[in-house]
Amino acid sequence: MKVRVDGDACVASGMCAYLAPAVFDQREDDGVVVVLREVPDEGQYEAVQDAVRNCPARVISVEDADDPTEG
Ligand code: SF4
């Protein structure tokens, strides 16, 4: 899994950082999403999917990656 976000469209709700704190954080100055782990551990997949579903701006997406260490 590879995580992508469109930071320009992020509304800084913080849902992603709340649901998957190992993968997402927020910039201190404006709260815009920061991806901590573009290629998360498998144990984080469910939390990431939760974040995808609950992001109010719908700016988080995931790609399947054959090689989880890729990228
Ligand atoms: S949940 Fe979506 S809108 Fe909220 S901070 Fe994360 S990426 Fe931005």
Side-chain angles (χ1 to χ4, degrees), residues 5 9-17 26 31-33 51 54-60:
V5 297
C10 168
V11 298
S13 71
M15 276 310 283
C16 54
Q26 292 175 271
V32 166
V33 64
N54 287 288
C55 170
R58 302 265 173 221
V59 299
I60 308 171

Side-chain angles (χ1 to χ4, degrees), residues 1-47:
M1 173 191 280
K2 194 162 181 179
V3 178
R4 298 203 182 283
V5 297
D6 177 2
D8 291 341
C10 168
V11 298
S13 71
M15 276 310 283
C16 54
Y18 172 74
L19 291 167
V23 179
F24 302 102
D25 199 356
Q26 292 175 271
R27 287 204 305 237
E28 247 174 62
D29 52 343
D30 57 10
V32 166
V33 64
V34 175
V35 178
L36 300 175
R37 309 232 18 206
E38 209 176 63
V39 182
D41 295 335
E42 220 171 307
Q44 293 295 321
Y45 283 13
E46 206 171 313

